[in-house]
Amino acid sequence: MMGLFMAMSTFFMCLQFSFFMTAKAVNAGCQCVLYDSTFGKDYGMFTSPNWPIPYEDSINCVLYTFHAPEGEIVEVTFDEFDVQKSKLECRLGDYVRLFLHLEEAAVDHRTPENVILCGKIADIVHTYYSSSQVLILEFHSDWKNGNNTGFRGTYRFLKKRLFLTEGDPLYGTKCDYQFFRGNKSYNKGHFYSPLYPSIYPQNAKCAYHFMGRYNERITVNFEKVRFQREDLSCLKSADKVTIHDGKDASSPVIGELCSYHDFVEFVSSGPDLYIEFKSQNRVPGQGFKATFQFYEEHLNMGSNIPSTEPQNNGLTLAVNGVHCDKWISSTFSKNGTISSPYYPEPYPSGVKCAYHFAGRGRERVQIIFIDFDLHQPLHSKVSRDCEGVDIVETFVKIDGQKEKIRNFCGKTLPTQLMSNGPWMTVEFHSNNTYSGAKGFQAIYRFVTDFGIQEGSQDPQLVCGFIFNSRKKINGSIVSPNHPGLYPRDTECHYFFIGRKSEDVQVTFTEFDVEGVTPCTADTASDYLEISTKPSAVAGLSRHCGLKKPRTIRSEGSYLRITFKSNNRFDGTGFKAFYEFTNHTNPSNTKRIHDSGRNTFSFRSSYLLMTMILVRTVDIEQLFIS
């Protein structure tokens, strides 16, 4: 009877506050507030009790129920947030709980929340979305009075159809889609992580298969990616998107996205593209929204470039009467040269030339200058930015924007460069004064090996190389594009795998990796990370800036070196020499040929074949066992 009375008390209290609908409370005594309209405005507003006066202690619970019209979802945004945070987790003190995935306007003590919040506005994600018509927010305070003001926010209702994936759901799956050019298909559209813009479910596994015609290519643009802000490499990330250049998961990997990204673009090298999304983190994020576009590639006329890029079909455009604005596609030329107008004769005054490079798949653009002679006024000191003089500028895409890498002027030969993705632009500007200087010439290459010549490249990683002692017992490793500037937003892995009786020693002779100790995201650092155990995730040895590695020896027959650059600074990277040695006699690197070698050779060959055929993460797990 007492339980029935408490339930009835909650029922009538919800009626009193909502004046519209009933709701099952988390526990007896909850106060309920309903928001089912914005009263003709774009947004409505909600606040904690007494706001902006500090809220009281011992508030059992207040339920805010946001109920959108049919076919719409709820968006809530916290503009101010100040909820007392104890030294322990949020659920043991004051907190705000969000229920985002509800089938009805009802919660009880068994309903799991999707998000729990406390602390300051800087500690939380500001905006959240429901996956249905209903979103419920619960506010609770304990007995400790912290003089905190609570929260103020806005809400609005959005059409759910704005977030529908424009593909064909694959029967029998939860979130697999196919996109193909047929009578009912579009040549472009959108696709999303499950439940987007709400938080995706745990343990989700989704596949998006794009199938074009024989002469078509697919470009996908991940406009927004929100997983977890972890300072880890994608290799060990629990939630990520993997882009395969082909029909299925066995096709080469051309991209991996984890953490936070904006406007990252990928282009297939053929008519198929396969994208996987996996979530294994216990705290899911919002996920991703992306666009796709099929476009034809006419092999006899040039390339039809996606609409985000200049479209001149590979022809040279005239600028001020000089033919020097050019688009270069890897489809028609994997390497060649570019030069200033009239090279090696003096270049004209007052021109601006642009050389646009467009790669496919895993390709990166590499530029190597072989001659450089730009006018520099006598007795003048040219600034590092080359302001006011004839100049060559280089650009890549960062977060969808054109970002400058370096400026070059004078007569010093520039260092070689590499793009962070399939796009790169080189621009040449000359002043209005005739100089008599002959200009520049450079070699361009579309490369898939990042300029790393040794090791076996792993097709299941964007930039991964395996060094196996059965193939070679010593050699060298370098950073991408060494000795030039390493590309931005790049992650490369070097795996050293020896026999059980071996270890590996790596000695660094060159090291220029931008960063500040402790070489983390908080210090905006690029870094080199050393792992001597396949299962290690956190707490690994990192090196950057003045913290240079010298000689590293593995604890056993496995060693992984990871290089990761951000989108801010550049360096020339590193060079190192490696050598596999025997545990029992480190000086003896000669292989013993005896009667027992055949059995060992068979096992080693099997391991090597497995490493080539399966994902590198799986290789590590196989190595552990």
Side-chain angles (χ1 to χ4, degrees), residues 106-171:
V107 294
D108 58 28
H109 66 279
R110 295 184 300 272
T111 307
E113 77 275 355
N114 300 107
V115 179
I116 185 165
L117 306 173
C118 62
K120 303 292 186 180
I121 189 69
D123 299 326
I124 69 169
V125 175
H126 296 177
T127 302
Y128 298 90
Y129 300 85
S130 67
S131 59
S132 66
Q133 288 177 255
V134 181
L135 184 153
I136 293 181
L137 180 156
E138 178 197 358
F139 176 57
H140 167 87
S141 66
D142 64 11
W143 56 271
K144 300 176 184 178
N145 193 328
N147 203 37
N148 301 88
T149 57
F151 53 84
R152 177 179 65 84
T154 58
Y155 68 93
R156 63 173 177 162
F157 306 131
L158 303 174
K159 298 293 184 184
K160 191 171 184 177
R161 57 179 169 78
L162 297 175
F163 307 101
L164 296 179
T165 293
E166 296 170 293
D168 297 324
L170 197 60
Y171 179 77

Side-chain angles (χ1 to χ4, degrees), residues 73-91:
I73 60 174
V74 183
E75 175 195 84
V76 296
T77 299
F78 292 99
D79 300 310
E80 297 188 35
F81 195 89
D82 178 21
V83 175
Q84 182 181 356
K85 183 176 183 178
S86 65
K87 295 181 180 180
L88 302 175
E89 57 180 327
C90 293
R91 67 180 68 249

Side-chain angles (χ1 to χ4, degrees), residues 179 181 186-187 210-212 216-218 292-295:
F179 308 79
R181 293 294 299 274
Y186 300 98
N187 70 330
F210 299 86
M211 296 169 284
E216 287 183 325
R217 302 295 178 261
I218 304 105
F292 67 89
Q293 181 179 356
F294 294 92
Y295 65 94

Side-chain angles (χ1 to χ4, degrees), residues 339-341 343 347-348 369 371-377 382 386 389-393 407-414 427-431 435-441:
S339 58
S340 52
Y343 179 88
Y347 56 81
F369 290 90
D371 195 9
F372 202 82
D373 176 26
L374 302 189
H375 174 63
Q376 182 175 335
V382 178
C386 300
V389 298
D390 297 350
I391 185 175
V392 169
E393 300 174 292
N407 292 340
F408 302 106
C409 54
K411 302 180 184 300
T412 302
L413 194 68
E427 293 185 2
F428 169 61
H429 304 258
S430 67
N431 289 324
S435 65
K438 64 179 178 178
F440 72 90
Q441 187 176 48

Side-chain angles (χ1 to χ4, degrees), residues 9 170 219 231 502 622:
S9 298
L170 197 60
T219 176
D231 190 14
E502 295 175 329
L622 176 63

